Amino acid sequence: MKFTLFSLLLLFTNILLQVDSFAKPIDLRCEYLQNPLGVDVSAPRFSWRLDDARPGATQSAYQLWVGTDSVGLLQGKGLAWTSGKVLSSQTLVAYAGKPLPAFSKYFWAVAAWGNDGQRSLSTTAHFETGVMHASNWKGAWISDTRDVKIKPAPYFRKAFGLSKKIKSARAYIAVAGLYELSINGQIIGNHRLDPMYTRFDRRTLYVTHDVTAQLQQGKNAIGVLLGNGWYNHQSTAVWYFHEAPWRNRPTFCMDLRIVYTDGSVETISSGKDWKTALSPVIFNSIYTAEHYDARLEQVGWNTADFDDTKWKSVIFRAAPSSNVVSQLMHPIRNVEEIAVKKMSKINDTTYLFDLGRNISGVSSLRVRGGAGTQIRLRHTERLNDQGRADMSNIDVHYRPTDNSDPFQTDIFILKGGGEESFMPRFNYKGFQYVEVSANQPISLSASSLKGYFMHTDLPQLGQVSSSNPTLDKIWWATNNAYLSNLFGYPTDCPQREKNGWTGDAHIASETGLYNYDGITVYEKWLADHRDEQQPNGVLPSIIPTSGWGYEWGNGPDWTSTIAIIPWNIYLFYGDAKLLSDCYDNIKRYVDAITAQSTDGLTTWGLGDWVPVKSKAPVELTSSIYYFVDATILAKAAKLLKKPADYEKYTALAQKIQNAINAKYLNAETGIYGSGTQTELSAPLHWGLVPPILKAKVAANLAQRVKADNAHLDVGLLGTKTILNALSDNGYADLAYQIAAQEDFPSWGWWIKNGATTLFENWPIDAKSDISMNHIMFGEIGAWYYKALGGIKPDPAMPGFKNILLHPHFVAGLEEFKASFKTPQGELVSNWEKTAAGIRYVLTVPPNSSATLRLDVQAGQTVSHKGQVWPSEAKTSFVRNLKAGHYELLIK
Ligand code: BGC
């Protein structure tokens, strides 16, 4: 055969294309993380996606191998488990092999067979087990004192020699408080505020670091700086964190486990031979700020040759809890560096910096000045009438006992002699402005200060854009508010409270899950829930808590997080583990509501918080959440094969529904209560309306909204339901009208007034509840995906194995694009109104299917690449789609 260069090229491209379209497993994750260290679960979960662009691509079978030998894995060398070839399209599998010992590295790979029967192999991924059992810890819990009042943060150090050649080394560090770890003078890792906040006396987290590169043969030193975090809350505010039952001086336990090339192992541990001294961090509060005196720096404190003879001995401490658990989640980081947008010099000693956007995080300052110059950095969200930093909307719940700890104000004392810089280590704030003032004249420019947007650093999964710039800005602001309120647990606001308010979090959970890969944070936070539940089933309204919130705000409208979040995780990831882990807790919570209810109704709750004007009866909204929980519990019982519970809680849900409808629904008129937006939309959205009355109730809601001039009249609970109830019941255009408003009250009104995050209150000049970085009104971010993109998980095939697709080409919007990386792959749902009709481009990810529903008008057709698709119905079009790319025209 004769090959021309051209035919060779063609052949090569064909091979490439073919290889490209094979069902190759990609995105390998263990416990939803890429190649994690410190995996302490006995049955880690493995997941992958298929890279297969062929139409109808599915996985017909898979095989998984887990073993200690990366090269001989598939040949069975060092094999710990293989699933064997399993005929299944599943891409989430839990380990079921030999028990996994501590401190062991495993490799794993997966083969997938496509629907053509061809096998394709992933590249090899790995994970490493951690300490696994409490008995494997060698170190002791140490600290410098038990005195909770001492302000400076303590340094700890230990120098040691290593004589053999190092193969690998891991640092396992468990801390009550916060830490910064360094080895031989180098800070380890890029995490911030580790470990995450938990109820320290019930669950203490440890973090694993690969420190192979920082150790050396010969002399070494470890340095640890401890911060207070939520463990030793020295600032005083209304939630009593300063009286937390766990409160103590920070403490840690550490094992540095070194494996030598000869196979031997040595562990350097925290113990009596460590030394301690106070650091230049003279005050640190996670809630308020950090103070740093550079004159107290000790150069080389964390290096081997440092003279520590003047340092004190450490003391032993009791472990904060007996439950030391690996922190297996995406960490907090300085995710974005933000340059100053505008700086104004107020006078020789005072400068005002404006980042141009509201963030959670810290500022970092570079400055020159004489020794002892004291610089204050006041962080605020807004300016007062004189154009100066204004704290009055965020310091309202702070109860300082003196003036040594000003709110959101870092204090930096210079050592003199050149440029110096400061960025807090153990604090974060919510702010846009930084007013820097000094007790001596200083010279600053716009580049002297930088902002760092800090939050749990989750991979982004979703993206939307549209022809309406305000809509796009609302989406961006919603994500900014969501991330500003994610620090290993969801919070209400990053400034005034930093509290894990349950209500705010369940309302925003779908917004989070469409945009970010949040499972690791939610699984951790639900473990916090389990730690906080009282024996009688009651949960607090803020989680974690010092004890505050068991008697206020913790009704079902807020604390249904225990049911709603595991259910959403099940829908979004197709993973029932969290639901199963929380099953008993959900049950006890539902039983606790039953104990406080009369004939299926409960008044336990706060109701439609921060409403525009009308407020729905608390009994109606709380009873609806009682119904939601009972329904989720019944579904979970069915899924987890608990038939008696299934029957019991199905009957309970029915009882609640009947009670609500008997008291609040006028079956004649189709109106709930007095017919306000929340009263009508909540029963519709949460599925309480008898099917025969749905259209009538929806029509009443539409009428109500029109009478309200297509503007919001809801509070927190109503924001969850108003847009969805309209768009799910034939009034998507009206929902869009509300969503796109730009005057009061609306999301767009905030944007028009310069918001880059969501606010806590509808009027921008409200007198109270006026944080400027609240996620609680954030459901709109999920609604974009659900209604405009039309993307919803199918409860019958969760994890987007089947996608319910029903985009609404709403009046007033010309174009909308949504993409969302499902556990199966990239889903695209883009539409555009053109002269030829509506162009709808969509990609159904490999290994999944979609049920497409389109609202068409009589006489309209749907065609795919020029071919008309037949339809039986006149006004709605339904078609089951296989994986693949579609280009539809609706005209
Ligand atoms: C918080 C809210 C929270 C509410 C409960 C406020 O102070 O900031 O977001 O849900 O209290 O009442």
Side-chain angles (χ1 to χ4, degrees), residues 123-140:
T123 54
T124 305
H126 52 91
F127 71 95
E128 203 176 274
T129 57
V131 181
M132 278 287 186
H133 303 289
S135 59
N136 286 329
W137 283 96
K138 291 194 159 47

Side-chain angles (χ1 to χ4, degrees), residues 492-493 496-497 501 504 552 558 606 609 760 774 776:
D492 58 336
C493 50
R496 190 186 68 210
E497 306 196 17
W501 277 102
D504 309 44
W552 195 84
W558 256 243
L606 294 177
W609 198 247
E760 186 185 12
H774 244 67
M776 85 181 178

